[in-house]
C-alpha cells in the first residue's frame, strides 16, 4: 500500500510542478521520486529508532 501511495503522490506532485500528464510521459522521473520518498522514509524511521534507543540507554541505571 505504501508503494501505491508513493506512486499516486509522485504523479500528483510532478504534474502539479510540470503540468498535467508530465508524470505519465516521464516514468523515470516518477521512479526516482518514489525512490527518494522511500529513502526519506527509511532515514526518518532509522533516526527515530536511534533516538528512542539513546533515550532508553540514558534511563538505564548506572553500574558501580
Amino acid at each position: 500500500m505504501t508503494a501505491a501511495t508513493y506512486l499516486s503522490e509522485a504523479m500528483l506532485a510532478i504534474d502539479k510542478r510540470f503540468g498535467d500528464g508530465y508524470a505519465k510521459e516521464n516514468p523515470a522521473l516518477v521512479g526516482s521520486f518514489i525512490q527518494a520518498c522511500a529513502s526519506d522514509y527509511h532515514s526518518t524511521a532509522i533516526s527515530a529508532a536511534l533516538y528512542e534507543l539513546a533515550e532508553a540507554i540514558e534511563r538505564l541505571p548506572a553500574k558501580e
Side-chain angles (χ1 to χ4, degrees), residues 25-40:
E25 294 172 10
N26 294 277
L29 178 59
V30 175
S32 294
F33 189 100
I34 291 171
Q35 286 179 329
C37 290
S39 179
D40 181 62

Side-chain angles (χ1 to χ4, degrees), residues 9-56:
E9 292 300 318
M11 294 187 76
L12 288 172
I14 291 168
D15 282 351
K16 183 177 179 181
R17 176 77 176 180
F18 298 107
D20 288 340
Y22 195 88
K24 188 174 181 179
E25 294 172 10
N26 294 277
L29 178 59
V30 175
S32 294
F33 189 100
I34 291 171
Q35 286 179 329
C37 290
S39 179
D40 181 62
Y41 175 80
H42 289 133
S43 296
T44 301
I46 289 169
S47 177
L50 289 173
Y51 181 79
E52 289 178 20
L53 179 60
E55 285 188 326

